[in-house]
Amino acid sequence: MRFLAAGEDDIAEPSDSVLQSWFADNRDKFNIAERRSFNHIYFSPERHGEAPESAVGAALEKLKGGSN
């Protein structure tokens, strides 16, 4: 509460070196675990026949375009 009651005028702006030092000391608080995801697209022979290349090509173009 003292911090809030003090107002903006009483708060000193930290220097770049203070901020860099603080960040170096607290770096582990900002590490985010790497994430990966994938989608499995199955082209069944029953639905696409023995040569599903045209369906695969169409799906690939759709994925490259960013639409799912």
Side-chain angles (χ1 to χ4, degrees), residues 44-67:
S44 70
E46 293 83 21
R47 184 165 180 200
H48 299 289
E50 293 298 318
E53 290 84 5
S54 62
V56 170
L60 183 59
E61 289 303 314
K62 188 175 180 182
L63 290 171
K64 285 180 180 178
S67 54

Side-chain angles (χ1 to χ4, degrees), residues 34-45:
E34 189 172 317
R35 299 173 128 187
R36 300 196 187 241
S37 66
F38 69 94
N39 291 321
H40 178 179
I41 303 172
Y42 177 69
F43 296 94
S44 70

